[in-house]
Amino acid sequence: MAEASVRPRRILVVGCGSIGRRHTGNLRALGQREVRLVDPDAEGLKRACGAFNLAGTPTIEEGLAWKPEVVLVANPTAYHVATALEAARHGCHLFVEKPLGNSLQGMEELLQTVQERRLVTMVGCNLRFHPGPKLVHESLAQGTIGRPLAARLEAGSYLPSWRPGTRYQESYSASKMLGGGCILDGIHELDLACWYFGWPREVFARAAEGASLGIETEALAEILLTYPDGLLVSIHLDYVQRWRQRRCEVIGERGTIAWEARREEVQRYREDASAPERLGYEPGYDINQMYVEELREFLRCVDERESCAADVHWAARVTQIALAAKQSVASRQPVSVDVDPLTAGVG
């Protein structure tokens, strides 16, 4: 059970799918008792309210009439920006599940509103709170392998096994209209790349549709990010591999850092090609803990009126890169990226 370390607040959770239910449970574990739920799906709302002994409502308008201080947006991706913007207009601090959106429509207005209302925001980049990627970030910041030359990030798992008891073909992941597809679903890896290395100059991507799964969105993608200093970062994302995989390898001038979730460790290979050194990350890690820690950090930032590292301004830029990858898939050409115009004057 997580310790309560932030002051109680009135929190509205929009979306009672798997991630909304996870966040609701973690909010309760953090000592938050004034929580209400919103979902237009009457059965889903009833089950979630019963599971957590909470009140709920089918509409965001009724939820906002309750006057929450914080709104947690966990509905399908296509509705994130509109929901967040409505809550921001009511002066609510925002936690938005990843990705921030599946298009840039409404995003500039959201950023402007957040800026004008001085709202604290965070977008769900929970891997930053996982000990593996966090240790990779710390090691790179310390220069333990010298200047990075190349990196490879991978995330893949079998979509039909994600949510037992539900039809994956009806999930947002399988719907273009709702913002699905492994590129936006796998935006965690794009976020890590930008967190580790900054903003790329060019994006090139190829993808394959999920015909074998009977879905309309892409189920496989290879993305190549090119940086101004020549760094190359390749990212593999998929919905099809049966053995869940998440890993990262960074090759530097003086060695290599490797993280693999299945091995539950981060290793450094030295320039003399000797046996790897184990930098850390203990076996048996409870993955829910990273979700608890991101909510704890967000609520701390709300308490202290402090900016979060992965706020909506940052997330808007990462979304631009994901959308550039989708554009590259469609055009079969590299796409130059400039993340500054969207966030100019509001970041």
Side-chain angles (χ1 to χ4, degrees):
M1 180 70 71
E3 294 181 8
S5 58
V6 289
R7 80 172 183 83
R9 291 192 175 273
R10 184 172 285 198
I11 301 175
L12 187 71
V13 178
V14 182
C16 295
S18 59
I19 191 62
R21 294 193 303 273
R22 181 188 289 274
H23 286 316
T24 299
N26 289 337
L27 286 170
R28 302 283 275 175
L30 286 168
Q32 300 298 318
R33 293 291 173 261
E34 284 199 89
V35 179
R36 286 196 181 181
L37 309 180
V38 173
D39 201 301
D41 176 6
E43 281 302 311
L45 180 63
K46 181 179 178 180
R47 285 194 300 270
C49 288
F52 298 106
N53 192 27
L54 295 172
T57 178
T59 70
I60 181 68
E61 293 79 13
E62 291 176 7
L64 291 172
W66 180 57
K67 299 188 182 303
E69 300 169 85
V70 171
V71 172
L72 194 155
V73 180
N75 51 5
T77 299
Y79 308 132
H80 283 183
V81 171
T83 304
L85 180 55
E86 191 167 354
R89 288 170 177 158
H90 281 74
C92 302
H93 302 293
L94 298 170
F95 182 100
V96 185
E97 249 311 310
K98 65 80 187 171
L100 181 56
N102 64 327
S103 77
L104 298 182
Q105 184 175 356
M107 206 168 282
E108 187 171 3
E109 185 179 358
L110 172 62
L111 301 185
Q112 193 68 48
T113 303
V114 163
Q115 171 104 351
E116 291 171 354
R117 301 299 295 268
R118 299 181 181 275
L119 302 176
V120 176
T121 67
M122 178 184 277
V123 174
C125 299
N126 51 275
L127 280 181
R128 293 176 178 227
F129 297 88
H130 186 292
K134 194 158 82 170
L135 185 53
V136 171
H137 183 264
E138 291 169 358
S139 298
L140 291 172
Q142 293 165 5
T144 56
I145 59 168
R147 184 172 71 89
L149 302 174
R152 170 79 168 171
L153 293 88
E154 177 182 354
S157 59
Y158 191 46
L159 178 62
S161 69
W162 283 19
R163 303 174 184 93
T166 65
R167 283 180 52 80
Y168 73 88
Q169 298 95 332
E170 297 173 359
S171 70
Y172 82 90
S173 298
S175 169
K176 288 182 179 180
M177 183 183 72
L178 294 179
C182 65
I183 292 176
L184 285 170
D185 248 355
I187 204 167
H188 284 301
E189 272 56 42
L190 287 169
D191 175 74
L192 288 180
C194 297
W195 190 40
Y196 292 160
F197 310 116
W199 305 111
R201 176 182 64 193
E202 186 180 83
V203 179
F204 182 63
R206 290 292 179 90
E209 292 185 356
S212 65
L213 298 178
I215 62 175
E216 63 181 5
T217 55
E218 78 274 355
L220 284 159
E222 297 287 348
I223 304 171
L224 181 65
L225 307 180
T226 303
Y227 283 77
D229 63 355
L231 170 69
L232 296 176
V233 177
S234 65
I235 298 174
H236 170 88
L237 305 169
D238 78 66
Y239 283 159
V240 297
Q241 61 176 300
R242 269 48 168 193
W243 196 8
R244 182 182 295 271
Q245 177 68 281
R246 183 157 250 151
R247 66 189 185 91
C248 170
E249 184 175 86
V250 184
I251 301 167
E253 291 180 321
R254 300 200 308 273
T256 298
I257 291 174
W259 163 60
E260 188 171 347
R262 281 203 307 256
R263 294 176 61 91
E264 298 187 310
E265 66 179 355
V266 176
Q267 295 181 318
R268 177 174 60 181
Y269 295 80
R270 297 181 180 276
E271 51 195 320
D272 60 4
S274 59
E277 171 191 4
R278 191 172 186 278
L279 296 181
Y281 174 30
E282 295 302 319
Y285 177 72
D286 178 4
I287 63 168
N288 188 58
Q289 192 59 33
M290 62 181 170
Y291 294 98
V292 172
E293 294 304 323
E294 72 171 346
L295 281 180
R296 191 197 306 275
E297 173 65 8
F298 167 66
L299 292 172
R300 183 195 68 78
C301 289
V302 171
D303 288 348
E304 300 180 10
R305 291 297 190 273
E306 181 180 310
S307 296
C308 298
D311 63 6
V312 292
H313 302 92
W314 171 278
R317 295 177 174 187
V318 179
T319 303
Q320 283 182 270
I321 294 168
L323 295 176
K326 292 177 79 69
Q327 180 184 344
S328 178
V329 169
S331 68
R332 303 178 71 86
Q333 297 292 326
V335 175
S336 297
V337 289
D338 181 359
V339 298
D340 292 328
L342 180 65
T343 52
V346 296

